[in-house]
Amino acid sequence: MNLVTVSGPPSVGKTSVILKTIESIKNRGLKVGVVKFDCLYTDDDILYEKAGIEVRKGLSGGLCPDHYFVSNIEEVVDWGIKHGFDLLISESAGLCNRCSPYINGINAVCVIDNLSGIGTPKKIGPMLKSADIVVITKGDIVSQAEREVFASRVHSVNPKAVILHVNGLTGQGSFELSTLLFSEDDHITSLKGKTLRFSMPSALCSYCLGETRIGESYQMGNVRKIDLGKEQ
Amino acid sequence: MIDQITISALLDKYPFARTFLENNGVDPDGSGEQSLHDYFLSIDENTKEEMAIDPGHFISRLNEYISQMLSFLGETKSSVESLTILPGHYKTGEDERFSDLTIKKNEIISIVGPTGSGKSRLLGDIEWAARNDTPTGRTILINGKEPEKKWRYSSSEKLVAQLSQNMNFVMDLSVYEFLSLHAESRLITERESVIERILDQANLLAGESFSKDTPITSLSGGQSRALMIADTAILSKSPIILIDEIENAGIDRKKALNLLVSEGKIVLMATHDPILALMGDRRIVIKNGGIETIIETTEKEREILSQIEEMDKKIQSLRQRLRRGEVLTEV
């Protein structure tokens, strides 16, 4: 089975892109499954089911979604293998722009959209910078120049990635993406011994543990302070 | 030789040469039908001296300017001379019946066919430089050969640039800042002249003119389209332009096409508008996901085109008159 991790900020069109891409993959006679990771709520699983794709969802609730992802991905892979998928796609939202659920040796796709502003590629951390493939969506509604500028900004932060434009509504570009997501050479039988490409954000302060009160005396563990400049 | 062709032909080929001529004492519009060579012969030695023109030196600097500008603009002109589409098959699996279709640069090809007939798949095949590995089974050749890999995977060099009716500007920038940013992303060092050029061209295309300080998001529909077209013609590196229907709203479409073609682009235009469809040198008819036929625009059709252009002018003038608050009494 091949595993592909897809991530990107909320509402960029990850699910639409994956759905369109799976259509092309299915035409090649491959069996595809999806696992959707989210934080509080998602009904994207219904969209996958409607398209006849086997899907599971995981909600992290009060936990950091990517910590939740990495603690569960091994079981998810075992589930996928048991179901005889040729390709398993994990979809997760990079909620803090810092996380990346990418695993060394596993194809990693980051989805971002043209509307997010040209400063965005700089703002997104490893999720964009360490992806193998960057998919840019919503190119049909901005000018050619803005698409070119945006792609060049993406290129400047991740020169190694293949950058593709995909339209999640019409599916333009999704066939092309599908050709990059499955290879006979990329089969895995488990994730044992694999490592994350990038460490998750460090945490564990008192607020991670349920503290709600504000004030220095309640802050323990890993705490960092904002620099507001020196006052006279 | 650039000093042998007429000045207007020179400007058609290298519109940016206008700035050079203007800054070097030659009025580009005053002597348009003359070649530079004849122009220099026509002025006497005194005038030449007064204008500080040395024809030999002038031509050699102009040559240098053009070659620099071409490399700034990423149009070394040698890159994509032609695009060839080899047949694949219809959605039904039946083979397409055309033998092959070669489109040269400076050519305009219309694409006609019902919605959903496979226009965007054709574009997809070109963009991805298909090698019998897309759902249509078509093959794309560039300059008669199998395309280089960069056309598929490079982020800065895409084969196709797109212009469509639905596109908007979303950046919070003035026209000038926007063009600088685009020029910067293309690593163009002499930005000012390129920006000026784009702004001039955009204003030639738009009905109402705008300045470089206008925020791009507050441009009218026609102005936005004009700026997008001028910018794509002059600053985009992509050799092929796909236009998805440009309406008549406040923009001179004929000039727009001429601008794109004069910048050495291959223009593909998906349209339902008879004026646009007939402006093409040829048109591709798409049906059931396949290329049904390729029709060369006939002489008769060109006559028809001028007739419908007349009708179109009439409708435009009626629109203008209604706008001005007139009461119509005749067509």
Side-chain angles (χ1 to χ4, degrees):
Chain A
M1 184 185 75
N2 276 202
L3 172 65
V4 173
T5 54
V6 178
S7 66
S11 307
V12 293
K14 292 182 292 298
T15 306
S16 303
V17 167
I18 295 171
L19 279 168
K20 293 286 181 194
T21 307
I22 288 179
E23 280 176 29
S24 301
I25 294 175
K26 276 186 165 174
N27 286 340
R28 284 149 71 189
L30 299 171
K31 193 174 171 202
V32 187
V34 172
V35 174
K36 167 87 186 186
F37 287 95
D38 220 315
C39 186
L40 293 177
Y41 177 79
T42 183
D43 49 15
D44 288 344
D45 50 324
I46 299 170
L47 295 174
Y48 286 115
E49 266 166 16
K50 267 192 190 158
I53 298 157
E54 204 157 338
V55 61
R56 290 289 182 276
K57 71 172 163 183
L59 295 176
S60 61
L63 292 179
C64 159
D66 280 317
H67 285 231
Y68 177 78
F69 167 89
V70 75
S71 335
N72 283 287
I73 191 66
E74 196 180 10
E75 287 85 340
V76 162
V77 165
D78 294 341
W79 168 77
I81 289 174
K82 215 175 283 170
H83 277 68
F85 297 138
D86 298 297
L87 173 65
L88 176 64
I89 299 176
S90 83
E91 180 194 339
S92 59
L95 298 173
C96 66
N97 284 346
R98 159 67 175 78
C99 283
S100 89
Y102 305 148
I103 299 161
N104 285 310
I106 300 293
N107 218 346
V109 181
C110 178
V111 185
I112 51 175
D113 76 44
N114 272 301
L115 295 180
S116 57
I118 44 163
T120 300
K122 251 189 247 171
K123 291 184 203 161
I124 302 180
M127 180 168 74
L128 176 60
K129 291 176 181 141
S130 64
D132 300 307
I133 300 166
V134 177
V135 170
I136 305 178
T137 57
K138 303 182 191 174
D140 54 326
I141 49 178
V142 303
S143 67
Q144 174 70 24
E146 287 165 302
R147 270 196 304 283
E148 289 182 12
V149 170
F150 195 79
S152 85
R153 293 284 163 110
V154 169
H155 179 251
S156 70
V157 299
N158 187 349
K160 283 186 180 170
V162 173
I163 299 175
L164 288 178
H165 289 91
V166 178
N167 181 333
L169 295 179
T170 63
Q172 195 180 325
S174 61
F175 165 78
E176 289 75 6
L177 175 61
S178 79
T179 64
L180 304 175
L181 296 191
F182 179 83
S183 158
E184 289 294 342
D185 304 328
D186 289 344
H187 284 311
I188 53 162
T189 51
S190 99
L191 284 180
K192 277 214 167 55
K194 297 232 185 259
T195 52
L196 286 173
R197 292 191 190 185
F198 215 87
S199 66
M200 300 276 175
S202 56
L204 218 67
C205 64
S206 44
Y207 297 104
C208 299
L209 299 169
E211 180 62 77
T212 56
R213 289 169 296 180
I214 296 167
E216 192 138 11
S217 53
Y218 308 111
Q219 296 165 2
M220 284 179 295
N222 201 346
V223 176
R224 189 178 302 164
K225 290 295 184 185
I226 186 172
D227 181 3
L228 294 170
K230 287 210 169 72
E231 298 285 334
Q232 285 304 316
Chain B
M1 285 297 288
I2 56 167
D3 59 335
Q4 303 294 337
I5 58 175
T6 67
I7 293 176
S8 64
L10 174 74
L11 290 176
D12 275 350
K13 201 165 173 196
Y14 310 114
F16 50 75
R18 174 178 289 269
T19 318
F20 180 89
L21 297 183
E22 281 166 351
N23 293 339
N24 286 278
V26 175
D27 175 12
D29 302 313
S31 2
E33 294 319 307
Q34 260 181 327
S35 69
L36 281 169
H37 180 259
D38 292 341
Y39 172 75
F40 289 134
L41 285 180
S42 74
I43 51 179
D44 61 55
E45 288 303 320
N46 274 343
T47 320
K48 269 184 216 164
E49 204 163 337
E50 237 175 73
M51 292 163 63
I53 288 178
D54 172 348
H57 192 226
F58 185 100
I59 296 300
S60 83
R61 278 186 302 137
L62 176 58
N63 264 320
E64 174 66 14
Y65 179 79
I66 288 174
S67 83
Q68 278 190 19
M69 286 301 281
L70 288 181
S71 63
F72 286 148
L73 296 173
E75 293 172 358
T76 31
K77 298 275 176 185
S78 59
S79 50
V80 174
E81 298 293 322
S82 73
L83 161 78
T84 303
I85 303 168
L86 302 180
H89 46 74
Y90 289 84
K91 273 179 200 157
T92 55
E94 198 189 329
D95 288 342
E96 287 176 311
R97 286 179 292 268
F98 70 102
S99 57
D100 65 76
L101 169 61
T102 297
I103 308 167
K104 297 206 169 63
K105 74 176 186 195
N106 302 341
E107 230 185 310
I108 300 173
I109 303 286
S110 317
I111 303 173
V112 296
T115 308
S117 57
K119 282 181 280 191
S120 47
R121 189 58 251 166
L122 173 63
L123 166 73
D125 286 346
I126 297 170
E127 208 166 21
W128 190 238
R131 291 191 296 248
N132 191 15
D133 59 355
T134 64
T136 61
R138 293 192 189 110
T139 299
I140 301 296
L141 305 177
I142 299 294
N143 300 336
K145 290 184 296 230
E146 191 175 289
E148 294 169 64
K149 262 208 157 145
K150 68 171 185 188
W151 294 119
R152 250 184 205 197
Y153 300 115
S154 158
S155 62
S156 56
E157 295 197 67
K158 295 281 179 199
L159 264 178
V160 181
Q162 257 180 289
L163 286 167
S164 105
Q165 198 65 18
N166 300 328
M167 288 172 182
N168 295 293
F169 288 120
V170 293
M171 289 180 185
D172 210 356
L173 298 171
S174 71
V175 170
Y176 178 82
E177 292 166 328
F178 165 75
L179 292 174
S180 312
L181 194 67
H182 192 197
E184 185 194 312
S185 84
R186 293 285 331 280
L187 307 174
I188 286 168
T189 45
E190 289 199 358
R191 277 174 225 160
E192 299 305 319
S193 58
V194 176
I195 291 171
E196 200 179 309
R197 201 55 215 139
I198 295 173
L199 193 65
D200 289 351
Q201 288 294 343
N203 272 315
L204 285 178
L205 300 179
E208 310 151 282
S209 64
F210 56 93
S211 83
K212 62 181 168 51
D213 302 317
T214 316
I216 49 174
T217 47
S218 63
L219 295 172
S220 74
Q223 290 170 331
S224 299
R225 223 88 65 217
L227 182 58
M228 283 181 200
I229 291 168
D231 168 84
T232 301
I234 294 169
L235 258 183
S236 176
K237 209 174 185 179
S238 304
I240 301 166
I241 310 287
L242 180 105
I243 302 175
D244 197 356
E245 198 82 61
I246 30 173
E247 270 171 26
N248 217 351
I251 166 167
D252 189 325
R253 295 180 295 180
K254 205 165 199 172
K255 273 192 199 148
L257 290 176
N258 285 340
L259 172 63
L260 290 167
V261 166
S262 72
E263 292 292 324
K265 304 289 188 187
I266 291 171
V267 178
L268 295 169
M269 180 169 55
T271 184
H272 302 294
D273 182 320
I275 295 185
L276 288 174
L278 295 178
M279 272 182 196
D281 304 299
R282 285 179 282 171
R283 61 184 183 273
I284 297 175
V285 183
I286 305 225
K287 211 174 165 183
N288 291 327
I291 294 181
E292 180 82 359
T293 172
I294 299 146
I295 300 172
E296 192 126 356
T297 309
T298 64
E299 273 311 308
K300 182 73 197 162
E301 282 177 330
R302 293 198 193 282
E303 280 172 36
I304 294 173
L305 173 62
S306 19
Q307 286 168 23
I308 40 184
E309 279 176 328
E310 280 308 310
M311 293 191 239
D312 190 52
K313 261 186 214 154
K314 256 182 202 160
I315 295 174
Q316 296 301 325
S317 85
L318 290 176
R319 185 178 293 169
Q320 290 297 336
R321 286 165 59 193
L322 286 172
R323 261 187 171 174
R324 285 195 297 264
E326 290 178 27
V327 174
L328 303 179
T329 51
E330 52 171 356
V331 178

